[in-house]
Amino acid sequence: MASVVQHGRRRGSSKRAEEASRMVQPTDLRQVTVLTKAEWLRIKDELNQVNKDKESMREAVKQREALHLQSKEVVKLWSNTIAGQRQKKLEAKKIREQTEEEKRKLIDIEEAKYQEQKRKEAIEKAKTQLYYQTDRVKGLHRALLLTEVLKEREAQIQLKQRKKSASKDVDKEYLEMVKTKEDEALRQEQEKALQKKLGRQAVAEDLKNQIKDNELAKERQKMENRKDGEEIQHLKELYQWERRMEAEQQAKQKRNLMQAHLEHLTNRDIIRATDAQKQEAEEDQRKLFLSAKQKMMKLRKEKEKQLFSEAQMRREQIMVKLTATQQEQLDSEEQRIAKAVAEQKAKQAQKQRDEEEKRAAMLKSIAAHRESMRQEKEQRDKIRQQNTRDTLQAKREADRIFSEKQQLKAQKIREDGRKLQDFNAMQTAEKSARHHQLKREEYAFEAKNTEVIAEEENQFQQYSRHVINAAAEAQRNVFPLCKAAREGIGGGLGPNFSGMRPSYLAQDNTGAQMPKYVSSTTQNVKKLHEVVDIEDAKRRLGFTW
């Protein structure tokens, strides 16, 4: 590139021009170095700081691990190895344990069935024993025993008659044999009676234990009900205490608001009294200032009059002196007199101007003072009006807050009343629901009890018929059994009402049970008092419409 030569100072080439020329020049292939692939990879690894030994070691470790896993997968299926034999033993042991477990389960199921059967048998036995301990069944058994006793009595009577009618030559051996049989039968009867007595005692003990358990359950239920009642009473007292605390807080808030209102009124009166005192003091000061001003004006006027009279007297004296000396000094004194008069007039005029300036300044100061006093009074009036407006605004704000609190209080009272009403309605609904539920449960219990009574009556009638049939086949007297097997539970002599046979006691000191008289007269009286046809009853009572 040719150098640029100019006259004067020489200017060198710029860097931009050199860079542009450098960018335009093509690449010189003789200065380009060509590298092999291995050399290029080596340089790249050196730049990236790659360690080939560590990489090769990692690759070798990975290959060994892959081969080890592959060998494990191959050897895992072999059976002639120690691990394979151990695996087969474990599988055989697992199968054996599963088989034993299945057998144990079957044994447990059979044992459970056997125990269930035993429990059922024990329950049936206990039910039978309890059934035998009921009053009606015991009455039936007593009737059965009475039939046996009657039969035995008849046999004894027959035996006695046979003994009396028999010949006196009856063998003593036969009598001893009969006596032995009687003793044996008597002993067996005593043993049976003893066993029955022991069984009855065991059943009685069980019944006593059940009664005790029922009484304990009732006591626990009573304790729970008492605890529930105490908790409800505690909640009620807590609710009343909260209501009282809320009422006390509201009353306290009312008292605080009233006290704040009274303090506000007191402060307002005090502020008004203070403002009145300040106004009176300012009015007194203003009056004093005006009186002082008036006195000063009066004194100034008197002083001006005095100065004017003195000046007049001096002028007169000067005029007298001038007149006296006028003749003597006509020519020489005229100028001096004129000069003196001119100076005196100038002094007088200057003095009057000064006095007028002082008077103007004084009037100006008085006017400024009056203006400042007027502005101060206006400012005080504005401040007082602003204070009055602020006080009125504060009072209105307090009244608004009080009215809002009263509205909130009334709304809260309404909400509390509504909540209380809802709570009472809910309690009434719950009580009614509980009452209806109890009624339904009572009706269901009565229906179930009726079904149970009917079922027990049917069972008892079947059992009594079986016993009566067996006694009839054994040629026993079945009259006591038929009397004991009559329908209706209960030991009374009254009529059967819904499966119940009540007892009617005499209203006297004895309290004895009234007898049962069944005749045509009693049946007619019963028809009069028991209504079968409602229309017939209406006609009988005279309701003919």
Side-chain angles (χ1 to χ4, degrees):
M1 185 175 180
S3 61
V4 180
V5 179
Q6 294 180 357
H7 295 284
R9 190 174 181 179
R10 188 174 61 182
R11 182 179 64 183
S13 61
S14 63
K15 291 183 179 181
R16 292 182 181 178
E18 291 178 359
E19 290 177 357
S21 64
R22 197 179 298 117
M23 290 174 65
V24 171
Q25 289 179 358
T27 304
D28 191 359
L29 296 177
R30 290 174 297 180
Q31 296 180 0
V32 175
T33 304
V34 179
L35 300 175
T36 62
K37 184 177 180 181
E39 191 68 21
W40 170 249
L41 292 174
R42 182 184 64 76
I43 294 170
K44 190 176 180 181
D45 292 339
E46 287 180 357
L47 291 173
N48 295 328
Q49 296 180 357
V50 177
N51 194 344
K52 289 185 177 181
D53 295 335
K54 289 183 179 179
E55 290 292 333
S56 61
M57 288 174 68
R58 289 195 193 96
E59 292 293 332
V61 169
K62 288 182 180 179
Q63 290 178 1
R64 285 198 300 272
E65 288 179 354
L67 290 173
H68 183 63
L69 293 174
Q70 186 177 2
S71 64
K72 277 187 177 181
E73 292 293 331
V74 172
V75 174
K76 185 171 67 174
L77 303 176
W78 292 353
S79 61
N80 57 353
T81 59
I82 296 172
Q85 292 177 0
R86 186 183 297 111
Q87 186 68 25
K88 291 175 72 175
K89 288 180 181 180
L90 291 173
E91 290 177 355
K93 183 178 179 183
K94 186 176 181 181
I95 294 169
R96 188 170 62 255
E97 288 178 352
Q98 289 179 356
T99 307
E100 292 176 355
E101 183 66 24
E102 293 292 333
K103 290 180 179 179
R104 284 196 294 272
K105 286 182 179 179
L106 293 175
I107 293 169
D108 292 337
I109 292 169
E110 292 177 357
E111 182 66 22
K113 290 181 179 179
Y114 177 72
Q115 293 294 333
E116 183 68 22
Q117 186 65 27
K118 294 288 286 182
R119 283 195 297 273
K120 287 181 179 179
E121 291 176 357
I123 290 168
E124 291 295 330
K125 185 178 178 181
K127 286 182 178 180
T128 305
Q129 290 179 355
L130 290 173
Y131 182 70
Y132 286 162
Q133 293 300 319
T134 57
D135 293 337
R136 298 188 71 191
V137 176
K138 285 196 290 186
L140 186 63
H141 288 173
R142 284 195 297 270
L144 181 61
L145 183 60
L146 179 60
T147 57
E148 294 292 335
V149 170
L150 292 174
K151 183 65 178 176
E152 185 67 24
R153 183 181 177 186
E154 291 176 358
Q156 289 177 1
I157 291 170
Q158 291 176 4
L159 179 60
K160 189 175 181 180
Q161 290 177 357
R162 285 198 302 269
K163 284 182 180 180
K164 287 181 180 180
S165 64
S167 177
K168 293 181 179 180
D169 297 333
V170 177
D171 290 334
K172 293 182 179 179
E173 184 178 358
Y174 177 73
L175 295 174
E176 289 178 357
M177 183 179 63
V178 172
K179 186 177 180 182
T180 303
K181 287 183 179 181
E182 289 178 355
D183 293 338
E184 184 67 22
L186 182 62
R187 187 180 61 79
Q188 290 179 0
E189 290 292 332
Q190 289 177 354
E191 289 180 356
K192 288 181 180 179
L194 181 61
Q195 289 178 358
K196 288 181 179 180
K197 184 178 180 181
L198 292 175
R200 287 194 298 271
Q201 288 178 356
V203 173
E205 289 294 330
D206 293 336
L207 288 174
K208 286 180 181 179
N209 292 329
Q210 290 180 3
I211 291 168
K212 288 181 180 179
D213 294 338
N214 291 330
E215 289 178 354
L216 290 174
K218 288 180 181 179
E219 290 293 332
R220 285 195 296 271
Q221 186 67 28
K222 286 181 181 179
M223 291 295 292
E224 290 178 358
N225 293 332
R226 191 179 296 111
K227 287 182 180 178
D228 293 338
E230 291 177 356
E231 186 176 358
I232 291 169
Q233 185 66 26
H234 177 67
L235 292 173
K236 183 178 179 182
E237 292 176 356
L238 182 61
Y239 176 73
Q240 291 178 357
W241 178 78
E242 288 179 354
R243 291 293 301 273
R244 288 196 300 272
M245 292 298 294
E246 186 177 0
E248 291 177 358
Q249 188 175 4
Q250 290 176 358
K252 185 177 179 182
Q253 190 175 6
K254 284 183 179 178
R255 290 194 298 271
N256 292 332
L257 288 173
M258 183 59 69
Q259 187 177 1
H261 183 65
L262 293 174
E263 289 179 356
H264 173 70
L265 293 176
T266 306
N267 293 329
R268 185 184 64 184
D269 295 336
I270 292 170
I271 291 168
R272 287 180 177 177
T274 306
D275 292 338
Q277 291 177 0
K278 287 182 179 180
Q279 289 179 0
E280 290 178 358
E282 289 175 357
E283 188 67 23
D284 294 336
Q285 289 180 0
R286 188 177 63 80
K287 289 179 179 180
L288 291 173
F289 180 76
L290 289 175
S291 61
K293 279 288 184 181
Q294 290 176 0
K295 288 179 180 181
M296 289 174 66
M297 292 295 292
K298 187 176 180 181
L299 292 172
R300 187 176 291 111
K301 288 179 180 180
E302 292 178 354
K303 186 69 174 175
E304 288 176 356
K305 288 180 179 180
Q306 185 178 0
L307 292 173
F308 183 74
S309 61
E310 290 179 356
Q312 188 68 28
M313 289 175 67
R314 283 195 298 272
R315 281 196 299 270
E316 290 178 355
Q317 290 176 1
I318 290 169
M319 290 298 293
V320 170
K321 289 180 179 180
L322 287 174
T323 304
T325 58
Q326 185 177 9
Q327 294 299 326
E328 296 176 357
Q329 298 176 354
L330 289 175
D331 296 329
S332 59
E333 294 297 331
E334 284 180 0
Q335 295 179 356
R336 289 195 298 270
I337 291 167
K339 187 177 180 181
V341 171
E343 289 177 359
Q344 187 69 27
K345 287 181 179 180
K347 288 181 180 180
Q348 188 67 30
Q350 185 66 31
K351 188 176 181 180
Q352 288 181 357
R353 283 195 302 272
D354 293 338
E355 288 179 356
E356 288 177 358
E357 289 177 0
K358 288 180 180 180
R359 189 181 297 109
M362 186 178 294
L363 293 173
K364 188 177 181 180
S365 65
I366 290 169
H369 180 70
R370 287 179 179 176
E371 185 67 23
S372 63
M373 291 298 291
R374 185 181 62 77
Q375 291 178 359
E376 288 179 2
K377 185 177 180 181
E378 289 178 356
Q379 188 69 23
R380 285 196 299 271
D381 293 337
K382 288 181 181 179
I383 292 169
R384 185 169 59 255
Q385 291 176 0
Q386 185 66 31
N387 292 330
T388 305
R389 286 194 296 270
D390 294 339
T391 305
L392 183 60
Q393 185 68 24
K395 185 177 179 182
R396 289 178 179 174
E397 186 69 20
D399 293 338
R400 185 183 63 78
I401 293 170
F402 180 74
S403 62
E404 289 179 356
K405 289 182 178 179
Q406 290 295 324
Q407 290 176 359
L408 291 174
K409 179 182 175 183
Q411 184 178 0
K412 188 175 182 182
I413 291 170
R414 288 195 298 273
E415 289 178 357
D416 292 339
R418 193 180 304 110
K419 289 180 180 178
L420 182 60
Q421 187 176 2
D422 295 339
F423 178 75
N424 292 331
M426 185 175 64
Q427 290 290 327
T428 305
E430 290 179 357
K431 186 176 180 181
S432 178
R434 285 197 300 270
H435 181 69
H436 290 308
Q437 184 66 24
L438 289 174
K439 285 289 184 183
R440 286 194 295 272
E441 291 177 357
E442 186 177 354
Y443 293 152
F445 175 75
E446 289 179 357
K448 189 175 181 181
N449 192 19
T450 305
E451 293 177 359
V452 171
I453 289 171
E455 185 179 356
E456 290 179 354
E457 182 66 25
N458 188 14
Q459 184 179 1
F460 177 75
Q461 292 299 326
Q462 291 178 1
Y463 179 70
S464 62
R465 283 195 295 271
H466 176 70
V467 172
I468 289 169
N469 293 329
E473 291 176 359
Q475 296 181 356
R476 300 290 191 271
N477 188 3
V478 295
F479 177 74
L481 293 174
C482 293
K483 185 178 179 181
R486 62 185 177 178
E487 294 182 356
I489 62 173
L493 299 176
N496 186 3
F497 291 108
S498 301
M500 299 291 293
R501 191 176 295 277
S503 300
Y504 295 96
L505 305 179
Q507 295 294 328
D508 54 6
N509 295 328
T510 61
Q513 185 175 355
M514 297 178 67
K516 179 183 178 183
Y517 299 107
V518 180
S519 63
S520 60
T521 305
T522 58
Q523 293 298 322
N524 293 330
V525 173
K526 182 178 179 181
K527 287 181 180 179
L528 288 174
H529 292 284
E530 288 187 356
V531 177
V532 178
D533 188 4
I534 189 64
E535 298 296 332
D536 188 12
K538 287 181 179 180
R539 286 193 296 272
R540 182 170 56 82
L541 293 173
F543 300 107
T544 58
W545 59 82

